[in-house]
Amino acid sequence: MRAYLLQRYGGPERTELSDLRKPVPRPGQVLIRVRAAGLNPVDYKIREGKLRAINRYRLPVILGNELAGDVELPGAGVSGFSKGDRVYARVAKDRLGAFAEYACVEADLIAMMPHSCSYEQAAGVPLAGLTALQCLLDELGVKPGMKLLITGGAGGVGCFAIPLAKWLGAEVTTTASPRGADLVRELGADAVIDYTSENLGDYARRFDGALDLVGGDLQQVFNSVVSGGQVVSIAAMPEPRTAELDLNKGWQLRTLFWLISYRLRKQAAQAGVHYRYKFMHPSGSELAELTQLIDAGTLPVKIDRSFPFEQIDQAFAYLESGRAKGKVVVKL
Ligand SMILES: NC(=O)c1ccc[n+]([C@@H]2O[C@H](COP(=O)([O-])OP(=O)(O)OC[C@H]3O[C@@H](n4cnc5c(N)ncnc54)[C@H](OP(=O)(O)O)[C@@H]3O)[C@@H](O)[C@H]2O)c1
């Protein structure tokens, strides 16, 4: 089978399409004939070796974190999935493997695809959709009437976070450039801050909470949230609770995260807000909730561009430009 393999950490030249043997599912896994796979910034961060402190892969490894396809063969002990089922998944973080014609995925990470989606649309849902759902529900506890700031609303995660936050009843303000303004309004944003010409500093204490999808310096985001409010980021610096709650790791990683997040945590404390960096987790049952929302028409799926698998390098070049509006996927 064809697979997109990372040979050594580094730039795009460290990856190549290779011919490998079709994998065999272990007990509890499902062999999936992959029809489409979604690209995410985490893919190129893994390729560059930036996540080595968290997951050390034995190279070469097949890259790719999310997929949609058909069940080819349920492994021993798997119930609930049969050959031919149209499924999708955010695959296990320590195994990867979505950029291949076949992938073995743990059954509890898989859900039935939305009937209303093509494979390409479905492939763009699992990682970004679950991230948005888990941040809004589990971390921010979004309730009707909450004034919520989402930075970077036009990207892969933002295009799920905006409609999900609206569905939960929040009043949503998002940052976007003029290139993404129409898209975020179409997704339901109540107000748009043009980050290329406006200053978040003018929005002091306007929001009850914030979801940061951009990272970098969060001082203005902290200042824009009311005292006692919560700022959840998926793109700035991990902090000690990230190691404990999301990664289940020991004191070494907690200490590292304590050090690298020191400045951000200090700024948050001075602004009187709580800072949390969240790593999403794969979950078939939560993905099934997204399936229902998508089929009910509550959650649209925005695919920016779809590339043939053979052009996955071009797909990455586009994603890495940082300008994607919605998701980038490859079709197998
Ligand atoms: N911790 C986790 O579990 C987790 C999970 C998923 C993603 N992430 C991280 O979250 C980040 C976002 O992911 P993504 O998939 O949404 O990325 P993406 O699709 O690549 O985001 C691109 C979008 O960001 C917008 N953008 C860029 N700079 C901006 C700024 N300063 N202000 C507002 N918008 C800006 C761009 O709009 P313009 O072109 O209009 O500027 C573009 O539409 C990445 O760093 C990713 O690694 C983390």
Side-chain angles (χ1 to χ4, degrees):
M1 66 166 190
R2 283 175 313 157
Y4 191 59
L5 211 58
L6 176 67
Q7 299 286 4
R8 279 161 60 201
Y9 291 116
E13 73 285 353
R14 304 293 199 190
T15 50
E16 62 184 22
L17 278 176
S18 308
D19 262 320
L20 298 180
R21 229 182 283 148
K22 188 170 153 184
V24 177
R26 292 200 297 252
Q29 291 185 330
V30 175
L31 177 66
I32 297 173
R33 169 74 171 97
V34 182
R35 301 293 180 184
L39 276 64
N40 293 279
V42 70
D43 297 314
Y44 58 79
K45 292 178 186 176
I46 290 172
R47 187 197 69 211
E48 291 163 353
K50 288 191 174 153
L51 301 182
R52 266 182 291 185
I54 298 167
N55 269 324
R56 216 166 253 278
Y57 300 101
R58 262 183 57 193
L59 303 183
V61 67
I62 302 171
L63 292 175
N65 280 282
E66 60 182 354
L67 55 78
D70 304 313
V71 171
E72 176 84 2
L73 177 67
V78 171
S79 57
F81 295 107
S82 316
K83 185 173 167 63
D85 283 347
R86 285 156 59 97
V87 295
Y88 65 156
R90 191 272 184 248
V91 305
K93 290 182 181 186
D94 56 350
R95 290 174 27 79
L96 309 179
F99 297 145
E101 285 171 325
Y102 292 90
C104 289
V105 184
E106 286 63 26
D108 60 352
L109 307 186
I110 301 171
M112 294 293 186
M113 257 176 61
H115 297 297
S116 51
C117 280
S118 64
Y119 291 113
E120 286 154 283
Q121 286 176 310
V125 174
L127 195 149
L130 288 173
T131 303
L133 184 75
Q134 291 165 8
C135 287
L136 295 170
L137 271 182
D138 305 345
E139 303 302 329
L140 284 157
V142 172
K143 301 253 171 355
M146 179 177 180
K147 292 187 173 62
L148 180 70
L149 171 69
I150 298 176
T151 61
V157 178
C159 286
F160 290 104
I162 294 170
L164 279 173
K166 289 303 300 174
W167 171 68
L168 291 166
E171 191 184 307
V172 176
T173 300
T174 192
T175 60
S177 75
R179 297 179 292 269
D182 286 346
L183 173 63
V184 296
R185 279 204 191 88
E186 179 198 318
L187 289 166
D190 298 288
V192 183
I193 300 172
D194 176 357
Y195 77 89
T196 65
S197 62
E198 286 184 75
N199 195 337
L200 250 189
D202 297 337
Y203 292 79
R205 306 289 182 209
R206 289 280 188 91
F207 306 106
D208 299 317
L211 174 57
D212 166 56
L213 312 178
V214 175
D217 184 357
L218 298 188
Q219 182 70 68
Q220 293 192 339
V221 177
F222 293 148
N223 291 342
S224 74
V225 170
V226 294
S227 181
Q230 170 105 338
V231 174
V232 175
S233 176
I234 59 163
M237 284 294 167
E239 35 82 27
R241 284 194 307 164
T242 316
E244 205 176 309
L245 302 177
D246 303 338
L247 302 171
N248 202 18
K249 299 270 186 185
W251 65 269
Q252 293 96 332
L253 202 63
R254 269 209 309 276
T255 309
L256 175 66
F257 286 178
W258 187 91
L259 283 169
I260 62 175
S261 65
Y262 181 77
R263 189 163 162 267
L264 274 179
R265 287 184 295 109
K266 199 169 156 203
Q267 288 175 333
Q270 281 166 352
V273 301
H274 303 283
Y275 172 65
R276 164 94 163 98
Y277 182 96
K278 168 85 176 167
F279 267 121
M280 62 81 64
H281 55 266
S283 163
S285 57
E286 290 178 22
L287 195 52
E289 291 173 28
L290 293 180
T291 302
Q292 286 187 6
L293 291 173
I294 292 166
D295 276 340
T298 307
L299 187 59
V301 179
K302 291 291 167 195
I303 301 300
D304 180 344
R305 286 204 199 169
S306 172
F307 293 80
F309 191 37
E310 296 71 25
Q311 291 174 18
I312 189 166
D313 284 336
Q314 286 97 308
F316 266 111
Y318 180 60
L319 183 76
E320 292 187 54
S321 76
R323 301 277 82 90
K325 302 285 169 288
K327 293 283 306 190
V328 179
V329 299
V330 286
K331 191 175 176 188
L332 283 91

